[in-house]
Amino acid sequence: MMHMPKTKPNLFILKGFFWFCLFDLLHNNSGLSQELRVVVQEGDEARLPCAYKIPRGMALESYFIYWQKPIAPKQELVVISYKNGKEVESEKDKSYKNKSRFYEQNLTLSIASVTVNDSGEYKCVAILNRSAQSITYTHLSVIVPFSTPIIQHNLPYKRCYPTNLTLECLSYGGSSEPKMYGSINENPVNWTITSNETFGHFNITGTLHLKMTENMLIHCSVHYLDFQVSTNYSLNMINNCSEPILPPLISPFGIIISSTVVLIFFLAMVMLVILQCYVHKHPRSSTTHQSLATNEILLEKSTGQTPSELGR
């Protein structure tokens, strides 16, 4: 009698069966928690997907759908409440009224004009027949954008090439760490970067030292996370070095100061003329009084009597 050898179970088949079951479990989303991430800039619209998918053949009206934002242990804000095929506005938190909406076809939550305070974790809850449920999480990050870069240079009005040139590109205000890139006439350049953070906001400055020998189209861009801001700046040479430099324009404030100085000078001259006229008239009167006093003194010495005694 022949004995057939015993065969061991095929491990490959067992592994395949395990992964199939796991995939099916994840696909159904039954009772599992998943987390997605969304990053938007302040002021934009945020669309938060719900990982749960309504099975084919099931009507959305059969579900209760909630979007909630946990803010403390056992405390959540209601962002969306969907029951019996429509939103229930009365259950929505006042901070999200006229700001959040619900896309029925894919359970997506939309939040308009987001601010940094809207950042955080949001929970999508799907309840069927008041018993079966699925909870999925989406984390929203709202970042403050950087300002449009400003390009500065040290060239005077009168210039001719070649000339030494210092360029600076500045941007500020973003809430995430930035990187800076640039080009001159579409040729990449490497900025010397200075970056600092103050109260959670970043500033960045790029500096270039070079010799200018032609007209330049300068490009500067600041990248942060998946976003960027950029600017272009044209800098042209002046070929005629003997071209006269136009005098600086006088501001209205300078004109007022100049007019005031001229007026004060004119009034001073008038006062001086009046004073001179007054001095010319009064010396005669002063001399007359002085001569009368002198005569009285001489008469008193010669007679021993005062003019008043002689008059008696």
Side-chain angles (χ1 to χ4, degrees), residues 97-295:
K97 288 186 180 297
N98 302 319
K99 185 175 180 177
S100 65
R101 55 178 297 194
F102 177 64
Y103 290 94
E104 297 182 1
Q105 64 271 24
N106 54 12
L107 312 185
T108 296
L109 167 66
S110 170
I111 305 176
S113 302
V114 293
T115 66
V116 175
N117 293 332
D118 292 320
S119 297
E121 191 175 61
Y122 290 79
K123 182 168 65 173
C124 176
V125 181
I127 299 176
L128 178 63
N129 298 327
R130 299 183 182 274
S131 57
Q133 64 177 352
S134 170
I135 301 176
T136 61
Y137 295 90
T138 301
H139 189 87
L140 174 63
S141 296
V142 180
I143 62 173
V144 179
F146 278 83
S147 65
T148 301
I150 300 173
I151 296 178
Q152 300 177 341
H153 62 83
N154 66 333
L155 292 183
Y157 171 78
K158 183 178 180 180
R159 57 185 180 269
C160 56
Y161 57 85
T163 184
N164 293 324
L165 172 65
T166 299
L167 291 174
E168 284 188 342
C169 180
L170 305 91
S171 183
Y172 56 89
S175 60
S176 57
E177 191 167 358
K179 295 181 179 179
M180 181 176 287
Y181 301 92
S183 65
I184 295 179
N185 294 338
E186 298 185 355
N187 296 315
V189 295
N190 294 320
W191 299 93
T192 300
I193 303 298
T194 302
S195 179
N196 59 76
E197 179 186 2
T198 305
F199 300 112
H201 292 274
F202 290 85
N203 301 325
I204 186 170
T205 301
T207 306
L208 282 177
H209 300 285
L210 65 158
K211 186 176 289 292
M212 183 176 182
T213 59
E214 60 181 347
N215 295 341
M216 292 181 173
L217 176 61
I218 305 160
H219 176 77
C220 178
S221 62
V222 176
H223 296 236
Y224 51 102
L225 298 181
D226 295 329
F227 306 95
Q228 69 173 15
V229 287
S230 62
T231 190
N232 292 319
Y233 184 82
S234 296
L235 186 59
N236 298 325
M237 301 299 301
I238 295 178
N239 296 333
N240 186 5
C241 295
S242 61
E243 181 179 345
I245 301 177
L246 297 176
L249 297 176
I250 301 176
S251 65
F253 183 70
I255 294 175
I256 294 174
I257 293 178
S258 301
S259 302
T260 304
V261 171
V262 172
L263 180 61
I264 293 174
F265 178 77
F266 176 76
L267 293 176
M269 293 299 294
V270 172
M271 294 296 295
L272 182 60
V273 171
I274 294 174
L275 182 60
Q276 287 179 347
C277 293
Y278 178 80
V279 170
H280 280 300
K281 290 182 180 180
H282 282 270
R284 295 180 182 179
S285 174
S286 176
T287 304
T288 304
H289 290 299
Q290 183 178 0
S291 60
L292 291 175
T294 304
N295 293 335

Side-chain angles (χ1 to χ4, degrees), residues 14-35:
L14 292 177
K15 288 182 179 180
F17 179 75
F18 169 77
W19 286 113
F20 174 80
C21 294
L22 180 61
F23 174 79
D24 184 67
L25 187 63
L26 290 173
H27 181 73
N28 290 329
N29 299 311
S30 179
L32 292 178
S33 296
Q34 303 179 35
E35 184 172 70

Side-chain angles (χ1 to χ4, degrees), residues 75-87:
Q75 185 178 0
E76 297 176 335
L77 300 180
V78 177
V79 184
I80 288 292
S81 176
Y82 181 89
K83 298 177 180 179
N84 301 319
K86 62 181 180 179
E87 287 189 44

